[in-house]
């Protein structure tokens, strides 16, 4: 089963309808206040986790933009009750459908300017852009904000893949209508789909080069730069070249949109004079990321779905390492805490 968000605008209009004067009547909340409201509710554990994950994304974006810590972020529009209902309502809907995968069209962000707690700002709002970093966007369909930070967080936390292709059998269709009048329909369209094979297949490229004359210390730097610029995977294989020279075969997996950037980096940052390029078809399990609030801190967990509807998961190493160092405990203890929480919720 797939939920597919197909046509913009994604209208979460509570954010843009508030004027600057309205904020004086709002209850301004910190992330901890909202987490407490969620924890004290009688919602299911899965809905609570998803709701807090969405608010965590909002808090992380606001903290980065304002140069502060997450615990000092004050929610204005998204702290209002109606936006809390938006987030929790979305979490309840995703839990109800128990979709194996969630697809969305490219996100239409709109255009123009919007008035918020910090004054008049361009669309999309800085926090919306931060949350949707790496997500394909469209702009300018109307001179108005069509995707708010709240809507962006809902999409970022729940969408498995962003695509504008519709190549699947549609079973059911639902519509949600916004209250603003545009020159185009202000509607969110959702498709419900059922298919037998839920594995994702993508066409990608494998770039390879043999290097025998470069300082080995540079490989770590090159690898990080490649990954930061769109490489999906980077790996090194020890090989023996002609005349018995030891060398390294540097392999990079990349999609079409980032191929040129990755190729340029390989030529600029290594001693390579040429590359081999192969078309490869990558078959992937459906996956999603969950943010766990453990007693040792926040840990991201990657969940993947098998064809028999069972699941497997893996805690992100860097998060576990950070938690272990911060709490001065063995890293294995953090992993055990993640296992305990995941067993309660899978």
């Amino acid at each position: 089963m797939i939920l597919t968000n197909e046509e913009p605008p994604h209208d979460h209009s509570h954010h843009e309808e508030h004027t600057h004067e309205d904020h004086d009547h709002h209850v301004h909340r910190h992330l901890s206040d909202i987490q407490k409201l969620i924890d004290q509710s009688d919602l299911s554990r899965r809905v609570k986790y998803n709701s807090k994950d969405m608010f965590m994304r909002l808090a992380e974006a606001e903290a980065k933009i304002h140069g502060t810590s997450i615990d000092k972020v004050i929610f204005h529009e998204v702290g209002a009750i109606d936006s809390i209902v938006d987030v929790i309502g979305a979490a309840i809907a995703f839990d109800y459908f128990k979709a194996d995968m969630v697809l969305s069209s490219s996100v239409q962000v709109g255009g123009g300017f919007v008035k918020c707690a910090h004054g008049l700002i361009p669309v999309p709002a800085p926090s919306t852009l931060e949350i949707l970093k790496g997500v394909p966007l469209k702009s300018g369909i109307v001179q108005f904000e069509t995707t708010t930070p709240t809507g962006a967080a809902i999409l970022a936390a729940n969408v498995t893949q962003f695509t504008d292709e519709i190549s699947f059998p549609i079973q059911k269709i639902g519509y949600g209508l916004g209250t603003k009048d545009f020159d185009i329909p202000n509607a969110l369209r959702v498709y419900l789909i059922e298919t037998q094979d839920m594995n994702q297949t993508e066409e990608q490229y494998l770039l390879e080069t043999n290097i025998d004359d470069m300082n080995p210390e540079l490989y770590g730097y090159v690898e990080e730069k490649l990954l930061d610029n769109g490489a999906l995977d980077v790996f090194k294989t020890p090989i023996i070249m002609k005349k018995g020279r030891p060398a390294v075969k540097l392999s990079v997996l990349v999609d079409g949109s980032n191929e040129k950037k990755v190729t340029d980096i390989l030529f600029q940052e290594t001693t390579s004079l040429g590359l081999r390029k192969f078309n490869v078809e990558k078959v992937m399990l459906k996956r999603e990321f969950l943010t766990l609030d453990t007693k040792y801190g926040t840990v991201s967990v990657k969940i993947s779905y098998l064809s028999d509807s069972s699941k497997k998961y893996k805690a992100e190493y860097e998060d576990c390492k950070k938690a272990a160092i911060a709490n001065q405990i063995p890293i294995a203890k953090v992993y055990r805490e993640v296992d305990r929480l995941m067993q309660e919720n899978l």
Side-chain angles (χ1 to χ4, degrees), residues 16-286:
E16 64 266 21
E17 287 181 347
H18 293 314
T19 65
H20 183 71
E21 291 78 12
D22 288 335
H23 303 308
D24 294 334
H25 305 292
H26 290 171
V27 177
H28 295 171
R29 295 183 174 88
H30 291 86
L31 177 63
S32 58
D33 299 322
I34 295 175
Q35 290 175 330
K36 186 176 180 180
L37 286 173
I38 294 171
D39 286 333
Q40 290 177 343
S41 72
D42 58 359
L43 296 167
S44 71
R45 189 177 293 271
R46 289 174 62 89
V47 171
K48 289 180 180 179
Y49 272 125
N50 196 9
S51 299
K52 290 192 289 185
D53 179 30
M54 288 184 263
F55 274 110
M56 178 62 72
R57 291 171 188 261
L58 284 162
E60 289 173 344
E62 291 288 346
K64 183 172 182 179
I65 290 166
H66 293 95
T68 187
S69 59
I70 292 175
D71 60 303
K72 293 181 180 177
V73 169
I74 297 177
F75 290 104
H76 299 289
E77 290 87 347
V78 296
I81 289 296
D82 52 358
S83 291
I84 294 176
V85 171
D86 279 350
V87 169
I88 295 177
I92 292 172
F94 286 116
D95 184 59
Y96 172 81
F97 282 106
K98 292 181 170 59
D100 297 311
M101 184 177 180
V102 181
L103 304 181
S104 171
S105 60
S106 300
V107 182
Q108 174 60 241
V109 295
F113 292 82
V114 64
K115 189 176 291 186
C116 72
H118 305 293
L120 196 65
I121 58 175
V123 172
S127 52
T128 298
L129 271 181
E130 183 65 31
I131 294 168
L132 293 178
K133 193 181 294 181
V135 172
L137 305 180
K138 293 179 180 178
S139 63
I141 194 169
V142 292
Q143 290 301 295
F144 202 81
E145 183 181 41
T146 56
T147 299
T148 66
T150 306
I154 292 172
L155 291 175
N158 295 283
V159 173
T160 312
Q161 180 182 350
F162 290 88
T163 178
D164 290 320
E165 295 184 12
I166 303 177
S167 56
F168 32 69
I170 298 171
Q171 305 295 322
K172 295 181 180 180
I173 305 170
Y175 292 89
L177 301 179
T179 57
K180 291 287 183 181
D181 290 328
F182 298 136
D183 294 333
I184 60 172
N186 183 4
L188 177 71
R189 182 157 51 185
V190 179
Y191 302 141
L192 185 63
I193 305 149
E194 289 189 16
T195 182
Q196 294 300 314
D197 184 12
M198 292 300 300
N199 289 341
Q200 303 172 58
T201 302
E202 293 182 3
E203 185 178 14
Q204 297 173 350
Y205 299 102
L206 183 63
L207 307 179
E208 290 184 351
T209 182
N210 297 347
I211 301 175
D212 66 351
D213 57 351
M214 189 173 84
N215 182 350
E217 293 178 341
L218 300 181
Y219 282 108
Y221 169 79
V222 173
E223 180 175 329
E224 289 180 8
K225 191 166 183 178
L226 288 167
L227 292 171
D228 287 342
N229 284 273
L232 302 170
D233 194 12
V234 180
F235 55 97
K236 302 176 286 292
T237 307
I239 58 173
I240 301 296
M241 292 177 59
K242 61 184 178 182
K243 299 181 181 179
R245 295 199 304 267
V248 171
K249 180 172 70 175
L250 182 61
S251 303
V252 184
L253 188 66
V254 66
D255 58 25
S257 63
N258 293 304
E259 180 199 352
K260 186 180 185 308
K261 284 195 299 183
V262 165
T263 299
D264 289 345
I265 290 171
L266 286 171
F267 283 135
Q268 293 166 1
E269 299 289 354
T270 75
T271 56
S272 174
L273 300 178
L275 304 173
R276 296 181 296 276
K277 174 182 172 181
F278 306 94
N279 283 80
V280 295
E281 189 176 88
K282 182 178 177 182
V283 180
M284 302 174 291
L285 292 177
K286 303 175 300 295

